[in-house]
Amino acid sequence: MTRHVLAGAFLAVLATLTVLLSGVLGPEVQGVALLGAALGGALGLVPDRTPGQRAAAFAVGFAAAWLGYLLRASALPDAPSGRAVAVLVVLLVCLAVGAGTRGRLPLWAALLGAAAMAGSYEAAYAADPSGFVTTSPVAATAVLLTAGAGFFATALLGPTVEHDRAVEHDDAPPPDATRARPSTRTSEPAAYRPFEPAPEA
């Protein structure tokens, strides 16, 4: 538990520093500090596949979301139908990579990457779709910086989390396979009593 607290405290400090240093890192960092740190922290904590595989899947999802915005800016109509097609393309790319690698690049990590790009850039894109070429790199850099800090703070804790869950599983009481079944035995017969004639009137 101590390691969990230390990792969480380290993550909080890194996220706070990125906000305080936004004058150097760029003002966009302030708006995505919590988003990036939370997604990066989750990416580091979940003990599914190696940290490198998780980071690679995150990058794939991030790139897929960026591709979705590129399609919206260059080829798709600025309407619900265009946004729907972009969302479909992004999710299909994430799914294809997860299935194509047989889970070596986990789908959940790719979805985190897509969420990072969408969460950090959707508002800026909606405000100025024509500025995609100049605004998307800024948003991408800001959220990747904060997500990287979150991942760095928690990535080494993944094996500990996995070990703790295994210990909890081993310590859990086994399911009761011998539950009490309804008794099929009949009640004990009443004690024999000899016949007693009724008293005479």
Side-chain angles (χ1 to χ4, degrees):
M1 189 63 185
T2 302
R3 292 184 180 182
H4 294 74
V5 173
L6 290 176
F10 187 35
L11 174 61
V13 170
L14 283 180
T16 303
L17 286 177
T18 56
V19 174
L20 293 176
L21 296 175
S22 59
V24 177
L25 302 175
E28 295 80 9
V29 171
Q30 292 187 32
V32 297
L34 182 58
L35 172 67
L39 293 177
L43 185 68
L45 281 173
V46 178
D48 179 26
R49 301 298 180 180
T50 67
Q53 289 172 320
R54 281 176 266 152
F58 182 92
V60 167
F62 194 89
W66 187 88
L67 175 63
Y69 283 109
L70 175 61
L71 290 175
R72 287 174 61 182
S74 61
L76 297 175
D78 188 16
S81 60
R83 290 188 286 273
V85 171
V87 168
L88 178 63
V89 169
V90 172
L91 294 179
L92 286 179
V93 169
C94 293
L95 179 60
V97 171
T101 60
R102 296 187 178 182
R104 292 183 180 87
L105 299 184
L107 175 60
W108 65 266
L111 294 177
L112 283 186
M117 181 63 194
S120 64
Y121 185 55
E122 178 61 31
Y125 179 84
D128 183 18
S130 62
F132 168 78
V133 174
T134 56
T135 56
S136 63
V138 175
T141 301
V143 74
L144 284 177
L145 179 64
T146 55
F151 181 71
F152 175 72
T154 59
L156 297 180
L157 195 61
T160 302
V161 174
E162 186 173 17
H163 176 266
D164 291 347
R165 296 298 175 267
V167 171
E168 291 175 1
H169 181 269
D170 292 341
D171 291 343
D176 187 4
T178 58
R179 293 180 180 176
R181 298 179 180 178
S183 176
T184 58
R185 297 176 59 185
T186 58
S187 58
E188 293 289 339
Y192 173 75
R193 293 181 180 179
F195 173 74
E196 296 181 0
E200 296 180 0

